Amino acid sequence: MTNDLIHATAAELAAKIHSGEVSSVEVTQAHLDRIAETDGKVNAFLHVDTEGALAQARTVDEAVKAGETVGALAGVPLALKDVMTTEGVPTTVGSKILEGWLPPYDATVTRKLKEAGVVILGKTNMDEFAMGSSTENSAYGPTHNPWDLDRIPGGSGGGSSAALAAYQAPLAIGTDTGGSIRQPGAVTGTVGVKPTYGGVSRYGLVAFSSSLDQAGPCARTVLDAALLHEVIAGYDHMDSTSINAPVPPVVAAAREGLSGDLSGLRIGVVTQFQGEGYQPGVLRSFQAAVSQLKELGAEIADVSCPSFDYALPAYYLIAPSECSSNLARFDAMRYGLRVGDDGTRSTEEVMSLTREAGFGPEVKRRIMIGTYALSSGYYDAYYGSAQKVRTLITQDFAKAFENFDVLISPTTPTTAFKIGERANDPIAMYKADLCTIPANLAGTPAMSVPSGLSDEDGLPVGLQIMAPALQDHRMYRVAAAYEAARGAFGGPSL
Amino acid sequence: MTSLVELMDYDEVIEKYDPVLGLEVHVELHTNTKMFCGCANEFGGEPNTHTCPTCLGLPGSLPVVNGKAVESAIRIGLALNCEIAEWCRFARKNYFYPDMPKNFQTSQYDEPIAFNGWLDVTLDDGEVIRVEIERAHMEEDTGKSLHVGGATGRIHGAEHSLLDYNRAGVPLIEIVTKMIPGTKERAPEVARAYVTALRDLLKALDVSDVRMDQGSLRCDANVSLSPKTTGALGTRTETKNVNSLRSVERAVRFEMTRQAAVLESGGEVIQETRHFDESSGSTSSGRKKETAEDYRYFPEPDLVPIAPSREWVEELRGTLPELPWERRARIQKEWNLTDEVLRDLVNANALDLIEATVVAGAKPDEARSWWVSYLAQQANTRGVELTDLPITPAQVARVIELVNTGALTNKLAREAVNGVLEGEGSPDEVVEKRGLKVVSDDSALEKAVDEALAAQPDVAQKIRDGKVQAAGAIVGAVMKATKGQADAARVREIVLARCS
């Protein structure tokens, strides 16, 4: 029974809970038990909110018993990335500098989840301030990939994706600044969606890079991701960059996709994202996916987006620049860590000692890069040029979407690498996000759906699907159709 | 400390140098809520009670622009004859300071909402100087630091500091002039007159409390000296903490004499922020800028650009009230005032009061006469501003009305005003309570006149002999006897009739 509950999809669990077949408390307890049993090995969670989760589950059970109408995912457990504020529940963003901070307010995403009756199991591990591609930059130890505990689960949202792969939760929330939802999804064999920028409110999302950060749904199936997408998306007056437009009909699109017919759909294969540096097994998995999409009736052709070659360097100027400013507020004056305040030191010294002790090496590296890039005399050459590249990338997307409904590529150049393998080589680490970054720079939606396992190492591979802004539903339709055609590919044994 | 500063005689400064001014004025808007959140925008309050995640800069919080503040900024820009940007953005000004919750200030940098304007400023002698406006931009205020345990209340020597974020995020408009050259010996006066004109303008627009003492209007004065021999621009200093109109003038004048002395002794003026001290009237070195400040400005990614439609801008232009100079021109014409009289009224801060008195029914010269003579005297005696006297223009109008209907003599009217100033109530209440009444009963007056004539037979004889001017002594005696409650003109008529 417990086994069934933890392996079920969110849609199945919701149906069972709402029909009274099982209670949300049973489902929630099954997942809490699974976390207790496996998280010593995986380290997906930074904080498990047992009481809060069970209380929410009881509330849903009572509503169901009373015959009230409940939300589509009411009673279903979820793992929340520790970048989202949760009132009265620790929010560390994977950093020592926020250790022990209890936010006085809920992020809009948190609030929407609670209002929808979703059960928040706890907060998941992440690279500190979402800076990283392996979760090794967490101040609280790395998360391990359930498919191979010696390997990384991707990052920054490795905790959320690993929790899905380890059957600790059927749903999770991630945030994606350069690939932090999609790349962990790809290397853990799970689905991860970065919605259109502005599609999901950023209020309460602790900022890394404001113009790139976007929260999105993570799940084991495309339909589950779509159901969660509709819970968290929508205009929010608390976020000026939130789009005041109807939420794209992603659930309907996912259901439509399950029919398996993609006749007439035009799919472009981005030529920049293959060849040298790509693991052969990843490319073979990608080619197999292309063949399957053809069989579903899609018309597929190559498309060149030359500016995508400059996406990675542009990203590593824009994101650090914004982060150098966003992270300035962590100064020991109001909340979080405070070091050196022994009555003898000046404010500046306490600020400096706190930041020295509270931030990890990758965060410091990016603050320094960003500070430099914004400096007077360098601004035009670095931040300014990067913004121009960003415009060119947006134009490349626009041109490609004149001829194609969606674009595809591998999500990552390789499968999960070993923990420690790239820890001392930032450039190699940054390359994990090569294929995912353009969509962040353009603000367009993109997702990763598993394309099975690489034939050479048996590790999961991700297929990336990209759509024009506010056309999120297009990629859900393709992903759902592909997922059905692909079939099951097994799961990790833990 | 300041006594060690060498100063040059002012006349000598003017002989050798041309002062160049630049003025930056920060105005706190009196919107209901803060610039980027829904917290109350109120002066004072228990520390840290007008705060929320956004104005405290808590992790995850985001700003949302206050539309009313944008509207005020545009109206200010229009009143200053500025162009209004069709598209502009906020920018982040990055620097660390504990009273700034995010360690960056959300401001505007190279894309201000209003730019290229001017303001005509009238000096005391009526000369009009056009001050060109570089820009007016929107930003947020910081919190306040309270340094505890030191002697000076400044950070140096303090034991600890307290932070109050009630002011953090209050909407500010920064108005920056272009360089103001050619003011010569009048530079300090021009600086004061500009800030005065700006204050009056902002008041008319009803966008701010414009209280320099509470910091809702703050002025930074940039001053440099250009040697007449070379005409080259000098190094400027920026003087802060200039908290009154008078201080603006004093601070500029002090800096001119200080900088001239520095230059005269072969030294160099250091580009720095200076702090004005009200009590000594001098400036002292503030933050030394050893390295050029690098604020690493970049467009604020948490806010979308502001693109005010031309229709909206024109609509706002239509909401501009009569501006101070337009109003002055109208009043001068309507009341038929000379330039000089108008200027005196403006300088005495009496124009609003007189106009309100006229609106309440008085004639302009009657209203003017009351405010600039008797009431001005009373204000002076009490050591308060004319505007702070506890009498309303409507009450003054009522007193004038009582005089015109003959119910009060001028002397009684002054007594009625005194009663109002003493807090005894409205003019009618004072008249009632104090029993102020013109004695208009002729038989009573005739009796008093006869008594006075009898008491001064020699005077009576003079009047009978045709020396009409001698009647004044008898009128005075009657007025004294009736405690001023008689109509002096009527008394005079009776005196003359009795002696004919």
Side-chain angles (χ1 to χ4, degrees):
Chain A
M1 177 67 179
T2 296
N3 220 26
D4 291 347
L5 292 182
I6 62 167
H7 287 97
T9 67
E12 290 162 358
L13 289 172
K16 284 183 182 179
I17 294 165
H18 302 170
S19 70
E21 192 183 327
V22 293
S23 69
S24 173
V25 169
E26 285 173 89
V27 172
T28 301
Q29 192 58 56
H31 286 92
L32 289 169
D33 291 347
R34 175 68 176 174
I35 293 168
E37 180 196 327
T38 56
D39 212 40
K41 290 180 261 182
V42 179
N43 195 30
F45 283 84
L46 292 176
H47 178 83
V48 178
D49 184 18
T50 305
E51 279 178 27
L54 288 171
Q56 172 83 329
R58 277 192 293 272
T59 306
V60 173
D61 285 340
E62 280 161 22
V64 169
K65 247 185 220 161
E68 291 168 25
T69 311
V70 294
L73 291 174
V76 180
L78 170 142
L80 183 58
K81 189 177 181 183
D82 203 27
V83 72
M84 287 291 176
T85 61
T86 40
E87 187 178 346
V89 172
T91 301
T92 68
V93 202
S95 180
K96 284 283 177 213
I97 211 155
L98 272 180
E99 194 168 14
W101 182 55
L102 296 179
Y105 77 108
D106 274 335
T108 297
V109 165
T110 307
R111 178 177 57 77
K112 287 192 170 213
L113 290 169
K114 286 181 177 175
E115 285 169 2
V118 174
V119 173
I120 299 172
L121 294 168
K123 309 295 288 289
T124 56
N125 200 8
M126 55 185 288
D127 284 298
E128 185 179 5
F129 283 99
M131 298 177 198
S133 308
S134 68
T135 321
E136 290 167 288
N137 296 332
S138 168
Y140 304 97
T143 297
H144 300 261
N145 192 324
W147 289 83
D148 176 349
L149 293 172
D150 291 334
R151 291 179 187 268
I152 60 99
S156 64
S160 283
S161 296
L164 295 173
Y167 300 104
Q168 295 172 333
L171 297 171
I173 295 292
T175 57
D176 192 312
T177 306
S180 287
I181 288 175
R182 290 163 287 160
Q183 182 256 5
V187 301
T188 58
T190 58
V191 177
V193 180
K194 182 199 94 69
T196 299
Y197 181 81
V200 177
S201 171
R202 291 187 297 116
Y203 188 72
L205 187 175
V206 180
F208 158 22
S209 179
S210 310
S211 72
L212 301 165
D213 295 342
Q214 186 58 209
C218 307
R220 286 192 297 266
T221 71
V222 174
L223 178 62
D224 283 0
L227 289 165
L228 182 54
H229 189 129
E230 292 198 357
V231 168
I232 60 173
Y235 174 69
D236 178 16
H237 70 275
M238 297 297 280
D239 175 0
S240 310
T241 61
S242 164
I243 296 175
N244 196 352
V247 175
V250 295
V251 172
R255 292 195 199 280
E256 187 194 346
L258 288 171
S259 69
D261 181 16
L262 294 179
S263 320
L265 193 93
R266 301 164 303 165
I267 298 179
V269 174
V270 179
T271 55
Q272 275 70 22
F273 294 146
Q274 40 197 308
E276 207 188 324
Y278 286 75
Q279 191 178 316
V282 167
L283 291 178
R284 284 192 292 271
S285 174
F286 178 69
Q287 286 312 325
V290 170
S291 303
Q292 272 176 319
L293 288 166
K294 268 185 195 156
E295 281 169 29
L296 293 169
E299 295 163 17
I300 300 189
D302 282 352
V303 58
S304 176
C305 298
S307 304
F308 286 14
D309 286 340
Y310 304 100
L312 193 68
Y315 174 85
Y316 276 100
L317 289 168
I318 292 169
S321 294
E322 292 183 6
C323 104
S324 72
S325 175
N326 281 331
L327 270 58
R329 69 191 64 197
F330 300 99
D331 63 359
M333 292 299 117
R334 291 161 296 277
Y335 45 79
L337 189 70
R338 190 173 178 114
V339 174
D341 181 19
D342 58 5
T344 70
R345 293 192 171 91
S346 71
T347 307
E348 287 75 12
E349 286 169 325
V350 171
M351 282 184 180
S352 179
L353 286 169
T354 301
R355 291 169 67 80
E356 166 65 29
F359 289 139
E362 182 62 24
V363 170
K364 287 178 188 161
R365 180 182 294 123
R366 296 200 196 187
I367 289 174
M368 285 190 281
I369 292 172
T371 302
Y372 186 76
L374 289 176
S375 297
S376 142
Y378 298 96
Y379 179 92
D380 289 342
Y382 294 125
Y383 187 80
S385 305
Q387 289 295 0
K388 284 180 192 150
V389 170
R390 191 171 188 170
T391 304
L392 294 175
I393 286 169
T394 305
Q395 288 168 353
D396 273 3
F397 266 119
K399 228 164 122 190
F401 286 127
E402 283 172 16
N403 298 316
F404 299 98
D405 298 307
V406 297
L407 305 180
I408 58 170
S409 76
T411 307
T412 58
T414 70
T415 54
F417 46 90
K418 290 226 157 130
I419 289 174
E421 190 181 302
R422 298 187 188 176
N424 297 314
D425 186 351
I427 303 295
M429 184 74 85
Y430 296 168
K431 281 186 176 164
D433 296 332
L434 206 56
C435 312
T436 47
I437 282 173
N440 296 91
L441 291 171
T444 47
M447 69 187 286
S448 180
V449 59
S451 60
L453 306 178
S454 164
D455 53 16
E456 65 217 327
D457 54 18
L459 291 169
V461 179
L463 167 69
Q464 179 175 231
I465 308 170
M466 296 167 273
L470 290 173
Q471 301 298 312
D472 305 45
H473 45 291
R474 278 192 206 169
M475 60 187 192
Y476 273 98
R477 181 183 161 210
V478 176
Y482 168 71
E483 177 184 59
R486 180 206 67 209
F489 57 94
S493 52
L494 254 183
Chain B
M1 192 170 73
T2 47
S3 59
L4 297 176
V5 175
E6 295 279 335
L7 301 176
M8 183 187 277
D9 174 72
Y10 193 72
D11 291 338
E12 197 184 340
V13 176
I14 298 307
E15 215 170 278
K16 294 181 173 167
Y17 300 97
D18 280 325
V20 178
L21 288 174
L23 297 161
E24 292 173 22
V25 169
H26 286 86
V27 190
E28 276 183 1
L29 299 179
H30 65 196
T31 47
N32 292 330
T33 56
K34 291 186 179 180
M35 187 73 216
F36 299 117
C37 65
C39 286
N41 172 21
E42 285 168 21
F43 181 76
E46 282 294 301
N48 299 307
T49 52
H50 302 157
T51 57
C52 73
T54 293
C55 60
L56 286 177
L58 293 189
S61 64
L62 292 173
V64 177
V65 174
N66 180 337
K68 192 76 191 169
V70 176
E71 187 184 301
S72 297
I74 293 174
R75 292 176 74 237
I76 291 170
L78 290 171
L80 288 171
N81 308 292
C82 288
E83 295 171 50
I84 305 300
E86 295 193 17
W87 190 91
C88 67
R89 288 182 292 190
F90 283 94
R92 291 186 183 179
K93 181 180 184 179
N94 294 286
Y95 63 101
F96 281 83
Y97 205 78
D99 64 16
M100 199 164 54
K102 299 168 290 181
N103 286 319
F104 61 79
Q105 181 188 31
T106 305
S107 179
Q108 293 195 288
Y109 179 48
D110 49 0
E111 298 164 351
I113 182 118
F115 50 94
N116 281 346
W118 47 264
L119 178 63
D120 278 342
V121 172
T122 309
L123 302 183
D124 287 350
D125 67 355
E127 190 190 337
V128 175
I129 287 192
R130 177 158 293 188
V131 173
E132 291 192 75
I133 306 292
E134 167 109 17
R135 57 190 283 155
H137 75 246
M138 301 177 280
E139 59 185 34
E140 59 180 334
D141 213 338
T142 61
K144 277 182 181 167
S145 303
L146 181 67
H147 304 297
V148 182
T152 59
R154 293 172 75 178
I155 194 163
H156 188 74
E159 276 166 12
H160 63 276
S161 302
L162 299 172
L163 294 165
D164 176 6
Y165 294 104
N166 282 352
R167 198 182 66 177
V170 163
L172 282 183
I173 305 295
E174 180 175 338
I175 300 162
V176 183
T177 66
K178 292 186 180 167
M179 278 202 304
I180 312 170
T183 55
K184 299 183 183 146
E185 79 282 359
R186 309 194 70 170
E189 188 193 343
V190 168
R192 174 178 50 76
Y194 166 74
V195 179
T196 308
L198 192 54
R199 184 197 62 178
D200 293 347
L201 173 64
L202 296 165
K203 203 172 190 177
L205 290 170
D206 192 24
V207 292
S208 167
D209 298 338
V210 287
R211 295 276 302 262
M212 290 189 90
D213 56 332
Q214 291 186 350
S216 55
L217 184 77
R218 309 197 281 269
C219 175
D220 300 340
N222 290 295
V223 177
S224 67
L225 294 181
S226 163
K228 285 196 170 167
T229 48
T230 64
L233 282 180
T235 305
R236 68 183 164 83
T237 59
E238 182 181 2
T239 303
K240 293 186 180 286
N241 195 41
V242 190
N243 294 330
S244 71
L245 293 171
R246 190 164 158 262
S247 296
V248 174
E249 185 163 359
R250 289 167 82 205
V252 170
R253 189 181 171 102
F254 181 88
E255 265 305 289
M256 286 167 64
T257 54
R258 186 193 66 84
Q259 289 184 14
V262 169
L263 294 171
E264 193 68 7
S265 67
E268 272 182 34
V269 173
I270 302 165
Q271 183 169 342
E272 62 181 350
T273 300
R274 296 185 68 86
H275 188 88
F276 182 70
D277 180 58
E278 292 271 354
S279 54
S280 65
S282 62
T283 68
S284 59
S285 182
R287 252 181 310 151
K288 277 267 186 329
K289 295 184 177 175
E290 283 167 12
T291 51
E293 297 249 12
D294 187 349
Y295 293 119
R296 307 190 315 281
Y297 281 101
F298 73 104
E300 166 59 279
D302 283 331
L303 293 171
V304 289
I306 295 187
S309 73
R310 296 301 96 179
E311 293 73 29
W312 189 39
V313 171
E314 288 317 307
E315 199 184 307
L316 291 177
R317 198 190 297 278
T319 70
L320 292 185
E322 185 183 33
L323 299 174
W325 50 89
E326 296 167 347
R327 174 160 164 262
R328 284 199 285 271
R330 171 179 59 77
I331 285 176
Q332 181 170 17
K333 201 169 156 218
E334 282 178 9
W335 299 357
N336 195 20
L337 305 177
T338 64
D339 287 353
E340 202 179 5
V341 169
L342 176 71
R343 205 161 54 240
D344 288 346
L345 297 183
V346 170
N347 291 343
N349 263 334
L351 209 55
D352 287 353
L353 298 167
I354 297 169
E355 198 187 18
T357 309
V358 170
V359 168
K363 287 198 187 101
D365 21 348
E366 292 166 344
R368 181 157 60 88
S369 155
W370 272 96
W371 284 104
V372 299
S373 54
Y374 189 69
L375 288 166
Q377 251 172 48
Q378 293 302 306
N380 199 27
T381 312
R382 288 156 193 259
V384 297
E385 292 290 321
L386 196 57
T387 46
D388 293 335
L389 274 181
I391 187 165
T392 65
Q395 289 171 333
V396 175
R398 175 60 182 157
V399 170
I400 292 170
E401 190 187 358
L402 291 172
V403 173
N404 289 342
T405 57
L408 293 180
T409 61
N410 277 328
K411 182 153 184 289
L412 289 175
R414 283 195 287 275
E415 214 177 305
V417 165
N418 290 344
V420 175
L421 295 175
E422 295 300 329
E424 293 167 24
S426 69
D428 289 297
E429 284 163 355
V430 174
V431 166
E432 173 75 24
K433 282 183 201 160
R434 293 199 176 188
L436 307 177
K437 222 167 89 190
V438 174
V439 177
S440 51
D441 177 352
D442 274 2
S443 62
L445 287 180
E446 280 163 8
K447 189 169 169 253
V449 168
D450 289 344
E451 280 169 16
L453 289 169
Q456 300 182 65
D458 48 334
V459 177
Q461 190 54 52
K462 277 185 193 166
I463 300 171
R464 287 190 195 101
D465 293 348
K467 292 195 174 161
V468 175
Q469 63 269 35
I474 302 298
V475 171
V478 171
M479 292 308 284
K480 199 174 173 188
T482 57
K483 296 191 181 116
Q485 299 198 357
D487 179 347
R490 180 65 196 136
V491 173
R492 188 180 170 82
E493 281 169 18
I494 295 171
V495 172
L496 295 178
R498 287 295 210 218
C499 296
S500 59

